[in-house]
Amino acid sequence: MCGRFVVARSVGEIQTIFEVDEIIGELPGVSYNVAPTQPIAIIVDRAFEKADDGSPIGELSREIHAARWGLVPRWAKSPTEHAPLINGRIESILEKPSFKDSVVRRRCVIPASGYYEWQVAADGSKQPFYITAGTDGMFALAGLYEWWSDPTKDTKDPQRWLLSATTLTKHTAPELAHIHDRNPVLLSPDTFEAWLDPHIVGDEDLLMAVANDSDLVAGEAEFYKVGTEVGKVSNNSANLISPIN
């Protein structure tokens, strides 16, 4: 699973790379140790009007929003009712009440320079690896988002609404199998637009196409060992992604 990742680009750079039309609200900045429940940037394609069935009407706007990493289902009593839903298994998300509705039209992209994964040795020791799109690249992680409404706040209070998101994972690509048995679902140029497009209803076919292309992206990823300092959430500097022998 992906439990930590890196965003080594500014919001402005992300906007340019992913051809985003508008930045909504205050976005988190550069971070070398993004952890669960922290704010993350998510990219969505959004229509200003919707039909009764939730389908978009008119042109779409590509936007960046800040969201809590750890999806909160709209039916949850509180954001802390359960452990943060930071990952969803792509093989079973259509069967999970927490995720299946979001698959239909609430899909997002989570931009990341790379992510950390821990390789477990035979003696139980853990070695962190940094898996990256390269110095000049960025991964587009497939994600889902949801809006949760706080019943204790007034309906007109903008703080009533919490936007949250989760990353998706799959069985690992062959090139990364020696590190961990799963990896984030990585969107390719061919699947990026379809994943974001709310005109396209999310179904098994879309999930299969995205999962298959993810292996192609993962096969080109760079990876190397990094220091164990990344295991502490309070550590956050560029030194965390420096390779070690």
Side-chain angles (χ1 to χ4, degrees), residues 25-115:
E26 186 175 346
L27 274 292
V30 170
S31 177
Y32 293 92
N33 201 0
V34 182
T37 74
Q38 291 182 353
I40 60 173
I42 68 170
I43 298 170
V44 299
D45 277 1
R46 189 172 75 91
F48 293 103
E49 295 184 59
K50 294 183 181 180
D52 291 341
D53 65 355
S55 59
I57 298 174
E59 294 185 2
L60 301 176
S61 174
R62 181 157 297 170
E63 302 172 347
I64 305 179
H65 293 253
R68 175 190 187 268
W69 185 19
L71 189 140
V72 180
R74 60 177 56 193
W75 40 260
K77 294 179 180 178
S78 78
T80 56
E81 182 181 5
H82 303 290
L85 299 174
I86 64 168
N87 294 145
R89 291 176 174 253
I90 198 169
E91 301 90 350
S92 60
I93 55 173
L94 288 177
E95 304 165 11
K96 303 296 184 181
S98 299
F99 299 134
K100 65 179 183 180
D101 289 342
S102 292
V103 176
V104 178
R105 297 192 199 277
R106 292 190 293 275
R107 304 182 298 271
C108 65
V109 164
I110 300 168
S113 302
Y115 67 96

Side-chain angles (χ1 to χ4, degrees), residues 31-231:
S31 177
Y32 293 92
N33 201 0
V34 182
T37 74
Q38 291 182 353
I40 60 173
I42 68 170
I43 298 170
V44 299
D45 277 1
R46 189 172 75 91
F48 293 103
E49 295 184 59
K50 294 183 181 180
D52 291 341
D53 65 355
S55 59
I57 298 174
E59 294 185 2
L60 301 176
S61 174
R62 181 157 297 170
E63 302 172 347
I64 305 179
H65 293 253
R68 175 190 187 268
W69 185 19
L71 189 140
V72 180
R74 60 177 56 193
W75 40 260
K77 294 179 180 178
S78 78
T80 56
E81 182 181 5
H82 303 290
L85 299 174
I86 64 168
N87 294 145
R89 291 176 174 253
I90 198 169
E91 301 90 350
S92 60
I93 55 173
L94 288 177
E95 304 165 11
K96 303 296 184 181
S98 299
F99 299 134
K100 65 179 183 180
D101 289 342
S102 292
V103 176
V104 178
R105 297 192 199 277
R106 292 190 293 275
R107 304 182 298 271
C108 65
V109 164
I110 300 168
S113 302
Y115 67 96
Y116 300 106
E117 198 56 83
W118 279 258
Q119 181 189 65
V120 182
D123 62 1
S125 61
K126 297 181 179 181
Q127 171 61 57
F129 277 74
Y130 181 49
I131 301 164
T132 173
T135 304
D136 298 323
M138 287 202 83
F139 288 135
L141 308 184
L144 305 174
Y145 71 91
E146 185 59 277
W147 288 98
W148 178 78
S149 175
D150 187 342
T152 67
K153 290 184 169 61
D154 187 86
T155 56
K156 296 181 180 179
D157 185 348
Q159 298 301 314
R160 175 183 175 91
W161 293 97
L162 172 66
L163 177 61
S164 62
T166 187
T167 59
L168 300 186
T169 66
K170 65 177 295 297
H171 292 299
T172 190
E175 293 83 357
L176 303 176
H178 65 289
I179 301 174
H180 199 271
D181 62 355
R182 298 191 69 79
N183 64 252
V185 176
L186 307 173
L187 296 169
S188 70
D190 289 337
T191 57
F192 179 91
E193 297 293 338
W195 184 255
L196 278 184
D197 191 347
H199 290 103
I200 298 175
V201 176
D203 57 14
E204 190 67 38
D205 288 341
L206 177 62
L207 295 176
M208 287 183 62
V210 166
N212 289 338
D213 270 25
S214 175
D215 282 350
L216 301 178
V217 180
E220 297 180 355
E222 301 174 14
F223 55 86
Y224 51 82
K225 295 177 182 179
V226 294
T228 56
E229 294 81 6
V230 69

